[in-house]
Amino acid sequence: MPSSPLRVAVVCSSNQNRSMEAHNILSKRGFSVRSFGTGTHVKLPGPAPDKPNVYDFKTTYDQMYNDLLRKDKELYTQNGILHMLDRNKRIKPRPERFQNCKDLFDLILTCEERVYDQVVEDLNSREQETCQPVHVVNVDIQDNHEEATLGAFLICELCQCVSTRWAPCGAEAVTEGRGRGRDRDVAEAVTEGRGRGRDRDVAEAVTEGRGRGRERGVAEALTEGRGRGRDRGAWPRPEAGPAAWGGVSAQLACVRGARW
């Protein structure tokens, strides 16, 4: 499959389960993709809910795998953590923290609202360089292996929708007209991903950046009458009937003037 010009980042909290499952599927579909976490440390389930395994982001997946193998092979085989780490180390050496990455992306997908807020906050704190917009879309995915797999297919479908409308852009594409057109394209792709014939509640509000030297704009998808960031609908599971997905939240932001 030919690679897509769309530069994609997928972000969860620890860069272990949800973002890595999506990274795996998107890379196999030919997307230029990287994955990240936003937490201060990497956390994996431990022997009890209040006893997680905590690692630094510099710790490799292989080191985590061997550590848990030594601690309790049966437990971490049974709960799927060793299998997950084995997959992760085949994709890249170690987890990465989004706040430490300065690479350029066209589309950033987050896996929960808290992570979405952290990503947008980080982008808005960066110094302006290129004024190239980056779109941030949140898809709420429960942090378990089954939901991570289903969520990854949903993210892949969304990326395919966006990719069909996408064309590589240079500085001239950030002009008023084309910039607004691309914002609409991404908003439409997010809506299309929810399935034809469903209520289309994703609204887009593009704020033109204000202030000298740090022009920023944030567009957030707000569902009318339901409060910030709540756009809940039944997104169909791939190869499943309508409403196979439960309530999934979608949020859209367009951040202008970040460190891009």
Side-chain angles (χ1 to χ4, degrees), residues 152-180:
F153 280 107
L154 176 61
I155 284 174
C156 185
E157 181 182 351
L158 175 58
C159 287
Q160 288 170 333
C161 289
V162 174
S163 185
T164 59
R165 295 171 164 82
W166 203 260
C169 77
E172 72 281 356
V174 190
T175 56
E176 289 268 325
R178 290 190 62 187
R180 281 199 298 267

Side-chain angles (χ1 to χ4, degrees), residues 54-198:
V54 181
Y55 301 97
D56 189 270
F57 269 88
K58 294 179 181 179
T59 308
T60 67
Y61 292 121
D62 192 52
Q63 289 171 329
M64 297 178 199
Y65 181 94
N66 290 327
D67 181 52
L68 297 183
L69 191 66
R70 176 184 56 81
K71 287 179 176 177
D72 193 330
K73 179 181 179 180
E74 183 178 354
L75 171 64
Y76 296 114
T77 298
Q78 186 176 18
N79 65 14
I81 299 300
L82 290 179
H83 175 76
M84 180 188 72
L85 289 169
D86 185 59
R87 176 207 60 197
N88 291 354
K89 65 183 182 179
R90 297 172 190 273
I91 298 172
K92 63 181 186 179
R94 58 174 55 83
E96 299 173 88
R97 193 164 185 260
F98 179 80
Q99 292 88 334
N100 298 334
C101 177
K102 306 305 177 186
D103 289 349
L104 279 66
F105 298 102
D106 301 306
L107 179 64
I108 300 173
L109 295 135
T110 61
C111 299
E112 65 178 272
E113 186 172 344
R114 177 174 57 88
V115 173
Y116 169 89
D117 290 338
Q118 291 170 334
V119 167
V120 173
E121 180 182 6
D122 179 71
L123 291 175
N124 279 332
S125 71
R126 301 184 184 192
E127 294 293 336
Q128 170 187 335
E129 285 193 359
T130 68
C131 273
Q132 180 177 331
V134 55
H135 294 83
V136 184
V137 177
N138 182 61
V139 180
D140 274 340
I141 303 170
Q142 292 182 36
D143 195 4
N144 61 59
H145 299 305
E146 180 182 357
E147 293 299 321
T149 300
L150 297 176
F153 280 107
L154 176 61
I155 284 174
C156 185
E157 181 182 351
L158 175 58
C159 287
Q160 288 170 333
C161 289
V162 174
S163 185
T164 59
R165 295 171 164 82
W166 203 260
C169 77
E172 72 281 356
V174 190
T175 56
E176 289 268 325
R178 290 190 62 187
R180 281 199 298 267
R182 176 157 291 182
D183 296 337
R184 284 193 298 272
D185 288 344
V186 175
E188 288 169 4
V190 172
T191 307
E192 182 178 314
R194 298 181 63 235
R196 293 184 177 87
R198 303 190 180 279

